[in-house]
Amino acid sequence: MLPVTEPGEECEANGAGNNYLESQQELDVNRNTRMVAPGFLESEESTVVVIGSRANTKGVQEEDSLLENGSQSTESDDPNTDACPEAGISLKETSFSIGLQVLFPFLLAGFGTVAAGMVLDIVQHWQVFTEVTEVFILVPALLGLKGNLEMTLASRLSTAANIGQMETAKEKWSMITGNIALIQVQATVVGFLASMAAVIFGWIPDGHFLMDHAVLLCASSVSTAFIASMVLGLIMIGVIFGSKKLGINPDNVATPIAASLGDLVTLALLSGISHGLYKEMKNNVYVNPVVCILFLALLPIWFVIARRNPATREVLSSGWEPVIIAMAISSVGGLILDKTVSNPNFAGIAVFTPVINGVGGNLVAVQASRISTYLHIMGPPGEETELIPRKCPSPCRTFFSSDMNSHSARVLFIFVIPGHLIFLYTISSMQGGHTTLTLIFVVFYMMAALLQVLVLLYIADWMVHWMWARGMDPDNFSIPYLTALGDLLGTGLLALSFHILWLIGDRDTDVGD
């Protein structure tokens, strides 16, 4: 039996139903109908949600919004209820349609991480990486900006597009200017803090501190974060608008595309900028301080622009905790990468790190964005609803229930093995890395990748609902934590796999030299 809304007040005989569209925005949100949990669905392959009329916290009607996939119908099963204000909208999405929409962006994002891995495999031998090894600590932290900033931006804009907050030119312009200014503020601050974390993590084990290296790290990190966030932010805006015009759910495509370009663009910028500044440092010691001061001086301008925009004012004041904590978590993963790559026996880890981290982060970001959009349809964060679990969900509920989000979790988890096999074959065919893809290596790699994604999808199910129940918008808080955890889990599990392979005799470090 499909879930239906409970009957509301009957349409009055004087033709009130015919005036439904004119009076739609005057409905009291307290008259919202109750949604039956999609867990009661009988079909394993298709989910249908019927949503009653309601308004979100900004008073914007969500009656015509897309929930997932954009498949929608304004016709009720009972033709006699079409004119009623309480009429629902049926929104369908099958497992096949989820997989079909996610497949191309997933592969595109994966090949982006493969390209980033090939770049890292090459630049790890550059002088700036060998002389200033703390640059490796910056890699996960700055690549994590795609989760901290760009993917959060994509999720935020996807939700706004799905619930009808970007319909007019004025609304679109407000969203664009506010969000671009916001991510520039966040990118500059996070870039600066990431460089400080790299300096500290590099200083603690070795016990020595070089001021010129610290300034180089600061200049490289801040400039990379600033430029990458500007470019990727503009691309994300174009992807959101393009998806809406094509009738594609932005939640399914925006975050993977952000990741596909994010890793490659950010790593290429970091490598090029740090290499150039390292060469200039030997000739002119004032270059790096000037670069740092220049980008930090632009910070107040972006802050004022974001502060004046109501769409980003709240995030500007309350969205720092997840971004900074996520940066710190990613930096720990960077420390693991630094110590592993510095060992010549494990040089092969460089080409695989962006791939395993990127794939895990992409899949969990899609799931978090979908769950967040689903919850936004029901009302503002913190609102009591039967669909928000009261306690930590069981793995069976997360992966094996008939809930629409469980459908997507299964689809995304299935993508792990075939996706990684394609990416590993691509790396091997391009003769990348320093490790031969033996059967035992592939087995250990797949075990690490499957465990990483399994844990991330489960944490996402718990974290998004937990944040929502406490009045926090998951679009602004969940993805930074999840992608940072993906970086830490991916790098840690991959490093562990390389150590185990070395101990059992699978040793091969000269491939790709």
Side-chain angles (χ1 to χ4, degrees):
M1 177 179 178
L2 300 179
V4 295
T5 55
E6 293 182 355
E9 298 179 2
E10 296 295 328
C11 295
E12 297 182 2
N14 60 1
N18 296 331
N19 297 325
Y20 166 55
L21 294 177
E22 289 80 356
S23 61
Q24 182 73 10
Q25 296 183 350
E26 298 178 3
L27 293 175
D28 188 339
V29 296
N30 292 325
R31 298 174 57 199
N32 294 333
T33 59
R34 179 176 61 85
M35 180 187 293
V36 179
F40 294 106
L41 295 174
E42 295 178 356
S43 172
E44 182 67 12
E45 293 298 326
S46 176
T47 55
V48 181
V49 182
V50 180
I51 302 172
S53 172
R54 69 175 304 122
N56 62 9
T57 54
K58 296 182 180 180
V60 180
Q61 280 295 327
E62 298 173 358
E63 181 72 27
D64 296 324
S65 66
L66 299 173
L67 176 56
E68 310 289 348
N69 187 36
S71 299
Q72 56 180 327
S73 170
T74 56
E75 297 179 2
S76 173
D77 293 336
D78 184 0
N80 295 328
T81 63
D82 287 346
C84 294
E86 300 293 349
I89 295 178
S90 177
L91 303 164
K92 300 182 179 180
E93 189 168 33
T94 64
S95 297
F96 177 78
S97 66
I98 296 173
L100 191 62
Q101 288 193 27
V102 174
L103 177 60
F104 175 73
F106 171 74
L107 292 176
L108 179 63
F111 287 123
T113 61
V114 169
M118 298 294 292
V119 171
L120 184 60
D121 186 51
I122 294 172
V123 302
Q124 67 172 321
H125 304 295
W126 288 8
Q127 187 177 7
V128 64
F129 282 86
T130 57
E131 296 294 330
V132 189
T133 60
E134 292 84 1
V135 177
F136 282 110
I137 301 178
L138 290 177
V139 171
L142 292 183
L143 295 189
L145 285 178
K146 72 179 185 297
N148 298 344
L149 305 182
E150 282 80 30
M151 294 172 87
T152 302
L153 169 66
S155 178
R156 195 160 53 236
L157 293 181
S158 296
T159 298
N162 277 339
I163 64 177
Q165 293 183 358
M166 297 177 63
E167 301 300 325
T168 66
K170 183 179 179 180
E171 289 176 338
K172 292 178 181 178
W173 179 250
S174 176
M175 280 288 180
I176 292 173
T177 56
N179 279 282
I180 287 294
L182 173 65
I183 64 173
Q184 292 311 113
V185 173
Q186 292 178 324
T188 304
V189 174
V190 171
F192 178 77
L193 294 178
S195 66
M196 295 299 100
V199 170
I200 294 173
F201 286 149
W203 168 69
I204 291 177
D206 299 333
H208 64 273
F209 175 81
L210 297 176
M211 179 58 71
D212 55 347
H213 286 186
V215 178
L216 170 65
L217 290 172
C218 179
S220 301
S221 181
V222 171
S223 55
T224 297
F226 184 95
I227 298 173
S229 295
M230 174 65 77
V231 173
L232 295 172
L234 293 175
I235 293 176
M236 278 304 94
I237 291 171
V239 169
I240 299 295
F241 291 154
S243 299
K244 289 291 291 181
K245 288 186 177 181
L246 295 175
I248 299 174
N249 181 7
D251 283 325
N252 291 338
V253 299
T255 49
I257 290 178
S260 67
L261 299 173
D263 285 344
L264 180 58
V265 170
T266 304
L267 188 55
L269 284 171
L270 175 62
S271 303
I273 292 174
S274 60
H275 177 70
L277 292 177
Y278 181 76
K279 293 175 63 177
E280 287 295 326
M281 181 180 67
K282 297 181 178 179
N283 301 324
N284 190 344
V285 295
Y286 298 105
V287 171
N288 290 334
V290 169
V291 172
C292 291
I293 295 173
L294 175 63
F295 285 103
L296 292 175
L298 295 174
L299 192 59
I301 299 176
W302 297 115
F303 182 86
V304 170
I305 296 174
R307 181 73 176 176
R308 290 180 177 178
N309 194 301
T312 56
R313 185 180 299 123
E314 180 181 356
V315 181
L316 186 63
S317 59
S318 62
W320 290 102
E321 178 183 342
V323 172
I324 295 175
I325 294 178
M327 180 274 301
I329 296 173
S330 295
S331 296
V332 176
L335 180 61
I336 297 174
L337 176 63
D338 180 25
K339 297 306 176 184
T340 307
V341 173
S342 299
N343 188 334
N345 296 325
F346 306 128
I349 194 176
V351 72
F352 301 109
T353 301
V355 178
I356 193 171
N357 291 350
V359 170
N362 298 345
L363 293 176
V364 74
V366 171
Q367 181 70 352
S369 181
R370 291 173 58 86
I371 298 174
S372 178
T373 296
Y374 182 59
L375 294 175
H376 271 92
I377 293 294
M378 301 176 191
E383 184 178 84
E384 292 291 334
T385 172
E386 297 177 4
L387 300 182
I388 298 180
R390 301 293 180 180
K391 57 183 179 180
C392 189
S394 67
C396 291
R397 176 192 173 278
T398 301
F399 294 101
F400 301 109
S401 72
S402 59
D403 186 283
M404 63 185 304
N405 294 317
S406 182
H407 279 282
S408 59
R410 292 194 295 271
V411 171
L412 295 174
F413 186 73
I414 290 172
F415 278 5
V416 175
I417 292 181
H420 274 295
L421 287 176
I422 293 173
F423 305 143
L424 290 178
Y425 175 77
T426 303
I427 293 173
S428 177
S429 63
M430 298 176 67
Q431 298 182 347
H434 298 71
T435 303
T436 301
L437 298 185
T438 61
L439 177 61
I440 190 170
F441 172 82
V442 173
V443 170
F444 271 86
Y445 181 90
M446 287 299 172
M447 289 174 60
L450 287 170
L451 180 59
Q452 176 207 32
V453 174
L454 186 72
V455 172
L456 288 176
L457 289 176
Y458 176 74
I459 293 176
D461 187 29
W462 165 77
M463 181 178 290
V464 173
H465 287 94
W466 182 85
M467 289 180 173
W468 185 270
R470 282 153 182 78
M472 296 184 291
D473 189 346
D475 281 331
N476 298 327
F477 290 89
S478 64
I479 292 181
Y481 288 123
L482 292 170
T483 54
L485 287 173
D487 291 342
L488 181 58
L489 284 173
T491 305
L493 291 172
L494 192 59
L496 179 62
S497 299
F498 267 80
H499 279 83
I500 295 176
L501 288 169
W502 179 263
L503 292 176
I504 64 178
D506 191 58
R507 305 173 182 180
D508 193 3
T509 61
D510 61 343
V511 179
D513 284 348

